[in-house]
PDB file of all heavy atoms in Angstrom:
ATOM      1  N   GLY A1421     -56.425 -52.911  24.910  1.00  0.00           N
ATOM      2  CA  GLY A1421     -56.024 -51.630  24.356  1.00  0.00           C
ATOM      3  C   GLY A1421     -54.709 -51.078  24.846  1.00  0.00           C
ATOM      4  O   GLY A1421     -54.303 -49.994  24.421  1.00  0.00           O
ATOM      5  N   ARG A1422     -53.997 -51.807  25.706  1.00  0.00           N
ATOM      6  CA  ARG A1422     -52.763 -51.223  26.249  1.00  0.00           C
ATOM      7  C   ARG A1422     -51.639 -51.176  25.214  1.00  0.00           C
ATOM      8  O   ARG A1422     -50.697 -50.402  25.375  1.00  0.00           O
ATOM      9  CB  ARG A1422     -52.315 -51.960  27.505  1.00  0.00           C
ATOM     10  CG  ARG A1422     -51.943 -53.406  27.350  1.00  0.00           C
ATOM     11  CD  ARG A1422     -51.474 -53.980  28.692  1.00  0.00           C
ATOM     12  NE  ARG A1422     -51.060 -55.368  28.608  1.00  0.00           N
ATOM     13  CZ  ARG A1422     -51.808 -56.406  28.963  1.00  0.00           C
ATOM     14  NH1 ARG A1422     -53.037 -56.203  29.403  1.00  0.00           N
ATOM     15  NH2 ARG A1422     -51.357 -57.638  28.869  1.00  0.00           N
ATOM     16  N   SER A1423     -51.723 -51.988  24.158  1.00  0.00           N
ATOM     17  CA  SER A1423     -50.682 -51.943  23.133  1.00  0.00           C
ATOM     18  C   SER A1423     -50.717 -50.647  22.334  1.00  0.00           C
ATOM     19  O   SER A1423     -49.745 -50.292  21.675  1.00  0.00           O
ATOM     20  CB  SER A1423     -50.824 -53.136  22.174  1.00  0.00           C
ATOM     21  OG  SER A1423     -52.071 -53.109  21.510  1.00  0.00           O
ATOM     22  N   VAL A1424     -51.844 -49.915  22.404  1.00  0.00           N
ATOM     23  CA  VAL A1424     -51.933 -48.620  21.715  1.00  0.00           C
ATOM     24  C   VAL A1424     -52.277 -47.513  22.707  1.00  0.00           C
ATOM     25  O   VAL A1424     -52.928 -46.527  22.365  1.00  0.00           O
ATOM     26  CB  VAL A1424     -52.978 -48.663  20.574  1.00  0.00           C
ATOM     27  CG1 VAL A1424     -52.477 -49.502  19.418  1.00  0.00           C
ATOM     28  CG2 VAL A1424     -54.324 -49.169  21.070  1.00  0.00           C
ATOM     29  N   ILE A1425     -51.823 -47.656  23.928  1.00  0.00           N
ATOM     30  CA  ILE A1425     -52.139 -46.667  24.958  1.00  0.00           C
ATOM     31  C   ILE A1425     -51.587 -45.286  24.609  1.00  0.00           C
ATOM     32  O   ILE A1425     -52.078 -44.271  25.100  1.00  0.00           O
ATOM     33  CB  ILE A1425     -51.592 -47.122  26.330  1.00  0.00           C
ATOM     34  CG1 ILE A1425     -52.182 -46.250  27.460  1.00  0.00           C
ATOM     35  CG2 ILE A1425     -50.081 -47.122  26.350  1.00  0.00           C
ATOM     36  CD1 ILE A1425     -51.810 -46.717  28.851  1.00  0.00           C
ATOM     37  N   PHE A1426     -50.611 -45.228  23.694  1.00  0.00           N
ATOM     38  CA  PHE A1426     -50.028 -43.936  23.338  1.00  0.00           C
ATOM     39  C   PHE A1426     -51.011 -43.042  22.576  1.00  0.00           C
ATOM     40  O   PHE A1426     -50.732 -41.850  22.384  1.00  0.00           O
ATOM     41  CB  PHE A1426     -48.749 -44.131  22.512  1.00  0.00           C
ATOM     42  CG  PHE A1426     -48.873 -45.115  21.388  1.00  0.00           C
ATOM     43  CD1 PHE A1426     -49.412 -44.749  20.175  1.00  0.00           C
ATOM     44  CD2 PHE A1426     -48.465 -46.435  21.556  1.00  0.00           C
ATOM     45  CE1 PHE A1426     -49.537 -45.649  19.134  1.00  0.00           C
ATOM     46  CE2 PHE A1426     -48.585 -47.355  20.524  1.00  0.00           C
ATOM     47  CZ  PHE A1426     -49.124 -46.959  19.307  1.00  0.00           C
ATOM     48  N   VAL A1427     -52.162 -43.558  22.149  1.00  0.00           N
ATOM     49  CA  VAL A1427     -53.153 -42.703  21.487  1.00  0.00           C
ATOM     50  C   VAL A1427     -54.042 -41.998  22.504  1.00  0.00           C
ATOM     51  O   VAL A1427     -54.779 -41.066  22.147  1.00  0.00           O
ATOM     52  CB  VAL A1427     -54.032 -43.507  20.500  1.00  0.00           C
ATOM     53  CG1 VAL A1427     -53.167 -44.326  19.556  1.00  0.00           C
ATOM     54  CG2 VAL A1427     -55.047 -44.396  21.211  1.00  0.00           C
ATOM     55  N   LEU A1428     -54.014 -42.429  23.763  1.00  0.00           N
ATOM     56  CA  LEU A1428     -54.901 -41.870  24.785  1.00  0.00           C
ATOM     57  C   LEU A1428     -54.742 -40.354  24.963  1.00  0.00           C
ATOM     58  O   LEU A1428     -55.746 -39.621  24.940  1.00  0.00           O
ATOM     59  CB  LEU A1428     -54.688 -42.597  26.115  1.00  0.00           C
ATOM     60  CG  LEU A1428     -55.335 -41.976  27.359  1.00  0.00           C
ATOM     61  CD1 LEU A1428     -56.847 -41.917  27.205  1.00  0.00           C
ATOM     62  CD2 LEU A1428     -54.958 -42.760  28.620  1.00  0.00           C
ATOM     63  N   PRO A1429     -53.514 -39.834  25.154  1.00  0.00           N
ATOM     64  CA  PRO A1429     -53.405 -38.382  25.379  1.00  0.00           C
ATOM     65  C   PRO A1429     -53.954 -37.558  24.217  1.00  0.00           C
ATOM     66  O   PRO A1429     -54.625 -36.544  24.432  1.00  0.00           O
ATOM     67  CB  PRO A1429     -51.901 -38.166  25.564  1.00  0.00           C
ATOM     68  CG  PRO A1429     -51.359 -39.488  25.969  1.00  0.00           C
ATOM     69  CD  PRO A1429     -52.199 -40.494  25.261  1.00  0.00           C
ATOM     70  N   GLY A1430     -53.680 -37.988  22.989  1.00  0.00           N
ATOM     71  CA  GLY A1430     -54.145 -37.232  21.840  1.00  0.00           C
ATOM     72  C   GLY A1430     -55.656 -37.224  21.714  1.00  0.00           C
ATOM     73  O   GLY A1430     -56.262 -36.186  21.398  1.00  0.00           O
ATOM     74  N   CYS A1431     -56.293 -38.379  21.946  1.00  0.00           N
ATOM     75  CA  CYS A1431     -57.754 -38.448  21.895  1.00  0.00           C
ATOM     76  C   CYS A1431     -58.365 -37.574  22.990  1.00  0.00           C
ATOM     77  O   CYS A1431     -59.364 -36.880  22.767  1.00  0.00           O
ATOM     78  CB  CYS A1431     -58.215 -39.895  22.041  1.00  0.00           C
ATOM     79  SG  CYS A1431     -57.808 -40.953  20.631  1.00  0.00           S
ATOM     80  N   LEU A1432     -57.755 -37.618  24.156  1.00  0.00           N
ATOM     81  CA  LEU A1432     -58.241 -36.790  25.263  1.00  0.00           C
ATOM     82  C   LEU A1432     -58.025 -35.315  24.961  1.00  0.00           C
ATOM     83  O   LEU A1432     -58.878 -34.462  25.279  1.00  0.00           O
ATOM     84  CB  LEU A1432     -57.505 -37.194  26.544  1.00  0.00           C
ATOM     85  CG  LEU A1432     -58.154 -36.818  27.885  1.00  0.00           C
ATOM     86  CD1 LEU A1432     -59.556 -37.371  27.983  1.00  0.00           C
ATOM     87  CD2 LEU A1432     -57.306 -37.342  29.032  1.00  0.00           C
ATOM     88  N   LEU A1433     -56.910 -34.989  24.314  1.00  0.00           N
ATOM     89  CA  LEU A1433     -56.633 -33.605  23.943  1.00  0.00           C
ATOM     90  C   LEU A1433     -57.663 -33.093  22.945  1.00  0.00           C
ATOM     91  O   LEU A1433     -58.102 -31.927  23.033  1.00  0.00           O
ATOM     92  CB  LEU A1433     -55.225 -33.491  23.352  1.00  0.00           C
ATOM     93  CG  LEU A1433     -54.801 -32.099  22.871  1.00  0.00           C
ATOM     94  CD1 LEU A1433     -54.795 -31.098  24.023  1.00  0.00           C
ATOM     95  CD2 LEU A1433     -53.428 -32.157  22.207  1.00  0.00           C
ATOM     96  N   LEU A1434     -58.075 -33.940  22.006  1.00  0.00           N
ATOM     97  CA  LEU A1434     -59.102 -33.541  21.042  1.00  0.00           C
ATOM     98  C   LEU A1434     -60.392 -33.167  21.763  1.00  0.00           C
ATOM     99  O   LEU A1434     -61.053 -32.173  21.409  1.00  0.00           O
ATOM    100  CB  LEU A1434     -59.344 -34.677  20.053  1.00  0.00           C
ATOM    101  CG  LEU A1434     -60.375 -34.427  18.944  1.00  0.00           C
ATOM    102  CD1 LEU A1434     -59.965 -33.237  18.072  1.00  0.00           C
ATOM    103  CD2 LEU A1434     -60.550 -35.687  18.090  1.00  0.00           C
ATOM    104  N   LEU A1435     -60.738 -33.936  22.777  1.00  0.00           N
ATOM    105  CA  LEU A1435     -61.927 -33.636  23.574  1.00  0.00           C
ATOM    106  C   LEU A1435     -61.760 -32.319  24.332  1.00  0.00           C
ATOM    107  O   LEU A1435     -62.684 -31.497  24.394  1.00  0.00           O
ATOM    108  CB  LEU A1435     -62.183 -34.787  24.545  1.00  0.00           C
ATOM    109  CG  LEU A1435     -63.420 -34.693  25.442  1.00  0.00           C
ATOM    110  CD1 LEU A1435     -64.686 -34.646  24.596  1.00  0.00           C
ATOM    111  CD2 LEU A1435     -63.460 -35.882  26.394  1.00  0.00           C
ATOM    112  N   VAL A1436     -60.591 -32.082  24.892  1.00  0.00           N
ATOM    113  CA  VAL A1436     -60.318 -30.844  25.620  1.00  0.00           C
ATOM    114  C   VAL A1436     -60.397 -29.645  24.682  1.00  0.00           C
ATOM    115  O   VAL A1436     -60.961 -28.590  25.043  1.00  0.00           O
ATOM    116  CB  VAL A1436     -58.934 -30.922  26.299  1.00  0.00           C
ATOM    117  CG1 VAL A1436     -58.535 -29.565  26.868  1.00  0.00           C
ATOM    118  CG2 VAL A1436     -58.941 -31.968  27.403  1.00  0.00           C
ATOM    119  N   ILE A1437     -59.834 -29.783  23.493  1.00  0.00           N
ATOM    120  CA  ILE A1437     -59.883 -28.684  22.520  1.00  0.00           C
ATOM    121  C   ILE A1437     -61.329 -28.320  22.206  1.00  0.00           C
ATOM    122  O   ILE A1437     -61.696 -27.134  22.149  1.00  0.00           O
ATOM    123  CB  ILE A1437     -59.134 -29.085  21.227  1.00  0.00           C
ATOM    124  CG1 ILE A1437     -57.628 -29.200  21.504  1.00  0.00           C
ATOM    125  CG2 ILE A1437     -59.387 -28.071  20.120  1.00  0.00           C
ATOM    126  CD1 ILE A1437     -56.835 -29.779  20.344  1.00  0.00           C
ATOM    127  N   ALA A1438     -62.166 -29.340  22.025  1.00  0.00           N
ATOM    128  CA  ALA A1438     -63.572 -29.079  21.724  1.00  0.00           C
ATOM    129  C   ALA A1438     -64.268 -28.386  22.896  1.00  0.00           C
ATOM    130  O   ALA A1438     -65.054 -27.447  22.699  1.00  0.00           O
ATOM    131  CB  ALA A1438     -64.275 -30.385  21.380  1.00  0.00           C
ATOM    132  N   ILE A1439     -63.995 -28.838  24.106  1.00  0.00           N
ATOM    133  CA  ILE A1439     -64.615 -28.197  25.278  1.00  0.00           C
ATOM    134  C   ILE A1439     -64.210 -26.734  25.368  1.00  0.00           C
ATOM    135  O   ILE A1439     -65.040 -25.852  25.654  1.00  0.00           O
ATOM    136  CB  ILE A1439     -64.222 -28.947  26.568  1.00  0.00           C
ATOM    137  CG1 ILE A1439     -64.864 -30.343  26.597  1.00  0.00           C
ATOM    138  CG2 ILE A1439     -64.638 -28.144  27.803  1.00  0.00           C
ATOM    139  CD1 ILE A1439     -64.424 -31.193  27.765  1.00  0.00           C
ATOM    140  N   GLU A1440     -62.952 -26.459  25.103  1.00  0.00           N
ATOM    141  CA  GLU A1440     -62.454 -25.094  25.210  1.00  0.00           C
ATOM    142  C   GLU A1440     -62.954 -24.194  24.082  1.00  0.00           C
ATOM    143  O   GLU A1440     -63.163 -22.989  24.281  1.00  0.00           O
ATOM    144  CB  GLU A1440     -60.924 -25.095  25.216  1.00  0.00           C
ATOM    145  CG  GLU A1440     -60.307 -25.563  26.513  1.00  0.00           C
ATOM    146  CD  GLU A1440     -60.501 -24.556  27.636  1.00  0.00           C
ATOM    147  OE1 GLU A1440     -60.296 -23.353  27.415  1.00  0.00           O
ATOM    148  OE2 GLU A1440     -60.882 -24.983  28.741  1.00  0.00           O
ATOM    149  N   LYS A1441     -63.157 -24.742  22.899  1.00  0.00           N
ATOM    150  CA  LYS A1441     -63.383 -23.899  21.724  1.00  0.00           C
ATOM    151  C   LYS A1441     -64.806 -23.893  21.181  1.00  0.00           C
ATOM    152  O   LYS A1441     -65.182 -22.937  20.487  1.00  0.00           O
ATOM    153  CB  LYS A1441     -62.420 -24.333  20.595  1.00  0.00           C
ATOM    154  CG  LYS A1441     -60.952 -24.084  20.913  1.00  0.00           C
ATOM    155  CD  LYS A1441     -60.685 -22.597  21.126  1.00  0.00           C
ATOM    156  CE  LYS A1441     -59.220 -22.314  21.419  1.00  0.00           C
ATOM    157  NZ  LYS A1441     -58.963 -20.866  21.608  1.00  0.00           N
ATOM    158  N   VAL A1442     -65.604 -24.919  21.449  1.00  0.00           N
ATOM    159  CA  VAL A1442     -66.904 -24.972  20.767  1.00  0.00           C
ATOM    160  C   VAL A1442     -68.099 -25.101  21.706  1.00  0.00           C
ATOM    161  O   VAL A1442     -69.238 -25.004  21.247  1.00  0.00           O
ATOM    162  CB  VAL A1442     -66.950 -26.123  19.730  1.00  0.00           C
ATOM    163  CG1 VAL A1442     -65.834 -26.002  18.727  1.00  0.00           C
ATOM    164  CG2 VAL A1442     -66.909 -27.493  20.408  1.00  0.00           C
ATOM    165  N   THR A1443     -67.888 -25.311  22.981  1.00  0.00           N
ATOM    166  CA  THR A1443     -69.032 -25.539  23.868  1.00  0.00           C
ATOM    167  C   THR A1443     -69.722 -24.252  24.304  1.00  0.00           C
ATOM    168  O   THR A1443     -70.860 -24.289  24.781  1.00  0.00           O
ATOM    169  CB  THR A1443     -68.592 -26.331  25.123  1.00  0.00           C
ATOM    170  OG1 THR A1443     -67.450 -25.696  25.705  1.00  0.00           O
ATOM    171  CG2 THR A1443     -68.268 -27.764  24.771  1.00  0.00           C
ATOM    172  N   GLY A1444     -69.050 -23.112  24.173  1.00  0.00           N
ATOM    173  CA  GLY A1444     -69.685 -21.845  24.487  1.00  0.00           C
ATOM    174  C   GLY A1444     -70.169 -21.764  25.917  1.00  0.00           C
ATOM    175  O   GLY A1444     -69.422 -21.995  26.878  1.00  0.00           O
ATOM    176  N   LYS A1445     -71.460 -21.443  26.086  1.00  0.00           N
ATOM    177  CA  LYS A1445     -72.028 -21.301  27.424  1.00  0.00           C
ATOM    178  C   LYS A1445     -72.128 -22.630  28.167  1.00  0.00           C
ATOM    179  O   LYS A1445     -72.375 -22.651  29.375  1.00  0.00           O
ATOM    180  CB  LYS A1445     -73.407 -20.649  27.339  1.00  0.00           C
ATOM    181  CG  LYS A1445     -74.447 -21.482  26.593  1.00  0.00           C
ATOM    182  CD  LYS A1445     -75.778 -20.746  26.543  1.00  0.00           C
ATOM    183  CE  LYS A1445     -76.839 -21.567  25.801  1.00  0.00           C
ATOM    184  NZ  LYS A1445     -78.148 -20.868  25.745  1.00  0.00           N
ATOM    185  N   PHE A1446     -71.950 -23.732  27.440  1.00  0.00           N
ATOM    186  CA  PHE A1446     -71.994 -25.061  28.076  1.00  0.00           C
ATOM    187  C   PHE A1446     -70.602 -25.543  28.488  1.00  0.00           C
ATOM    188  O   PHE A1446     -70.439 -26.694  28.895  1.00  0.00           O
ATOM    189  CB  PHE A1446     -72.628 -26.087  27.127  1.00  0.00           C
ATOM    190  CG  PHE A1446     -74.040 -25.774  26.755  1.00  0.00           C
ATOM    191  CD1 PHE A1446     -74.343 -25.281  25.489  1.00  0.00           C
ATOM    192  CD2 PHE A1446     -75.060 -25.946  27.671  1.00  0.00           C
ATOM    193  CE1 PHE A1446     -75.650 -24.987  25.141  1.00  0.00           C
ATOM    194  CE2 PHE A1446     -76.380 -25.657  27.333  1.00  0.00           C
ATOM    195  CZ  PHE A1446     -76.677 -25.167  26.068  1.00  0.00           C
ATOM    196  N   LYS A1447     -69.629 -24.658  28.390  1.00  0.00           N
ATOM    197  CA  LYS A1447     -68.253 -25.052  28.697  1.00  0.00           C
ATOM    198  C   LYS A1447     -68.106 -25.511  30.145  1.00  0.00           C
ATOM    199  O   LYS A1447     -67.573 -26.597  30.414  1.00  0.00           O
ATOM    200  CB  LYS A1447     -67.315 -23.891  28.404  1.00  0.00           C
ATOM    201  CG  LYS A1447     -65.864 -24.145  28.795  1.00  0.00           C
ATOM    202  CD  LYS A1447     -65.002 -22.930  28.472  1.00  0.00           C
ATOM    203  CE  LYS A1447     -63.584 -23.093  28.980  1.00  0.00           C
ATOM    204  NZ  LYS A1447     -62.735 -21.907  28.665  1.00  0.00           N
ATOM    205  N   ASN A1448     -68.562 -24.714  31.084  1.00  0.00           N
ATOM    206  CA  ASN A1448     -68.417 -25.077  32.495  1.00  0.00           C
ATOM    207  C   ASN A1448     -69.162 -26.368  32.845  1.00  0.00           C
ATOM    208  O   ASN A1448     -68.603 -27.239  33.523  1.00  0.00           O
ATOM    209  CB  ASN A1448     -68.874 -23.931  33.385  1.00  0.00           C
ATOM    210  CG  ASN A1448     -67.935 -22.735  33.323  1.00  0.00           C
ATOM    211  OD1 ASN A1448     -66.820 -22.845  32.814  1.00  0.00           O
ATOM    212  ND2 ASN A1448     -68.380 -21.593  33.816  1.00  0.00           N
ATOM    213  N   PRO A1449     -70.429 -26.530  32.407  1.00  0.00           N
ATOM    214  CA  PRO A1449     -71.097 -27.814  32.663  1.00  0.00           C
ATOM    215  C   PRO A1449     -70.352 -28.997  32.048  1.00  0.00           C
ATOM    216  O   PRO A1449     -70.274 -30.068  32.659  1.00  0.00           O
ATOM    217  CB  PRO A1449     -72.471 -27.624  32.023  1.00  0.00           C
ATOM    218  CG  PRO A1449     -72.704 -26.159  32.032  1.00  0.00           C
ATOM    219  CD  PRO A1449     -71.355 -25.542  31.831  1.00  0.00           C
ATOM    220  N   ALA A1450     -69.810 -28.794  30.838  1.00  0.00           N
ATOM    221  CA  ALA A1450     -69.076 -29.888  30.191  1.00  0.00           C
ATOM    222  C   ALA A1450     -67.845 -30.277  31.007  1.00  0.00           C
ATOM    223  O   ALA A1450     -67.538 -31.469  31.183  1.00  0.00           O
ATOM    224  CB  ALA A1450     -68.668 -29.481  28.775  1.00  0.00           C
ATOM    225  N   ILE A1451     -67.135 -29.283  31.519  1.00  0.00           N
ATOM    226  CA  ILE A1451     -65.956 -29.550  32.352  1.00  0.00           C
ATOM    227  C   ILE A1451     -66.352 -30.322  33.601  1.00  0.00           C
ATOM    228  O   ILE A1451     -65.729 -31.337  33.954  1.00  0.00           O
ATOM    229  CB  ILE A1451     -65.260 -28.225  32.733  1.00  0.00           C
ATOM    230  CG1 ILE A1451     -64.592 -27.598  31.503  1.00  0.00           C
ATOM    231  CG2 ILE A1451     -64.214 -28.471  33.824  1.00  0.00           C
ATOM    232  CD1 ILE A1451     -64.000 -26.225  31.760  1.00  0.00           C
ATOM    233  N   LEU A1452     -67.382 -29.874  34.273  1.00  0.00           N
ATOM    234  CA  LEU A1452     -67.814 -30.524  35.516  1.00  0.00           C
ATOM    235  C   LEU A1452     -68.310 -31.937  35.265  1.00  0.00           C
ATOM    236  O   LEU A1452     -68.020 -32.850  36.048  1.00  0.00           O
ATOM    237  CB  LEU A1452     -68.902 -29.682  36.190  1.00  0.00           C
ATOM    238  CG  LEU A1452     -68.477 -28.304  36.703  1.00  0.00           C
ATOM    239  CD1 LEU A1452     -69.656 -27.570  37.296  1.00  0.00           C
ATOM    240  CD2 LEU A1452     -67.354 -28.441  37.726  1.00  0.00           C
ATOM    241  N   VAL A1453     -69.057 -32.130  34.176  1.00  0.00           N
ATOM    242  CA  VAL A1453     -69.560 -33.475  33.851  1.00  0.00           C
ATOM    243  C   VAL A1453     -68.400 -34.440  33.617  1.00  0.00           C
ATOM    244  O   VAL A1453     -68.396 -35.570  34.129  1.00  0.00           O
ATOM    245  CB  VAL A1453     -70.485 -33.424  32.624  1.00  0.00           C
ATOM    246  CG1 VAL A1453     -70.734 -34.833  32.074  1.00  0.00           C
ATOM    247  CG2 VAL A1453     -71.812 -32.769  32.980  1.00  0.00           C
ATOM    248  N   MET A1454     -67.398 -34.006  32.845  1.00  0.00           N
ATOM    249  CA  MET A1454     -66.257 -34.879  32.570  1.00  0.00           C
ATOM    250  C   MET A1454     -65.471 -35.193  33.844  1.00  0.00           C
ATOM    251  O   MET A1454     -65.067 -36.346  34.064  1.00  0.00           O
ATOM    252  CB  MET A1454     -65.332 -34.224  31.542  1.00  0.00           C
ATOM    253  CG  MET A1454     -65.867 -34.229  30.122  1.00  0.00           C
ATOM    254  SD  MET A1454     -66.175 -35.903  29.497  1.00  0.00           S
ATOM    255  CE  MET A1454     -64.548 -36.648  29.663  1.00  0.00           C
ATOM    256  N   LEU A1455     -65.251 -34.198  34.684  1.00  0.00           N
ATOM    257  CA  LEU A1455     -64.514 -34.435  35.927  1.00  0.00           C
ATOM    258  C   LEU A1455     -65.269 -35.396  36.835  1.00  0.00           C
ATOM    259  O   LEU A1455     -64.686 -36.332  37.402  1.00  0.00           O
ATOM    260  CB  LEU A1455     -64.263 -33.112  36.656  1.00  0.00           C
ATOM    261  CG  LEU A1455     -63.299 -32.118  35.983  1.00  0.00           C
ATOM    262  CD1 LEU A1455     -63.238 -30.833  36.787  1.00  0.00           C
ATOM    263  CD2 LEU A1455     -61.908 -32.722  35.842  1.00  0.00           C
ATOM    264  N   ILE A1456     -66.572 -35.173  36.983  1.00  0.00           N
ATOM    265  CA  ILE A1456     -67.379 -36.033  37.859  1.00  0.00           C
ATOM    266  C   ILE A1456     -67.449 -37.448  37.296  1.00  0.00           C
ATOM    267  O   ILE A1456     -67.353 -38.435  38.044  1.00  0.00           O
ATOM    268  CB  ILE A1456     -68.789 -35.437  38.039  1.00  0.00           C
ATOM    269  CG1 ILE A1456     -68.708 -34.132  38.831  1.00  0.00           C
ATOM    270  CG2 ILE A1456     -69.704 -36.421  38.750  1.00  0.00           C
ATOM    271  CD1 ILE A1456     -70.014 -33.361  38.887  1.00  0.00           C
TER     272      ILE A1456
END
């Protein structure tokens, strides 16, 4: 997958946008789960 590594930031950003905008009360657990 390194030949298309340039898609990584955008895919990760999509996940971040969802955590910030749609997880609601589960936002903090979602952040901690991803970090861990």
Side-chain angles (χ1 to χ4, degrees):
R1422 63 178 182 260
S1423 61
V1424 289
I1425 192 174
F1426 47 82
V1427 309
L1428 169 61
C1431 291
L1432 200 56
L1433 178 62
L1434 181 60
L1435 182 61
V1436 171
I1437 292 172
I1439 292 175
E1440 285 289 315
K1441 294 299 181 179
V1442 304
T1443 51
K1445 64 181 180 180
F1446 299 105
K1447 175 180 174 180
N1448 291 347
I1451 290 174
L1452 294 178
V1453 166
M1454 286 300 302
L1455 292 176
I1456 293 171

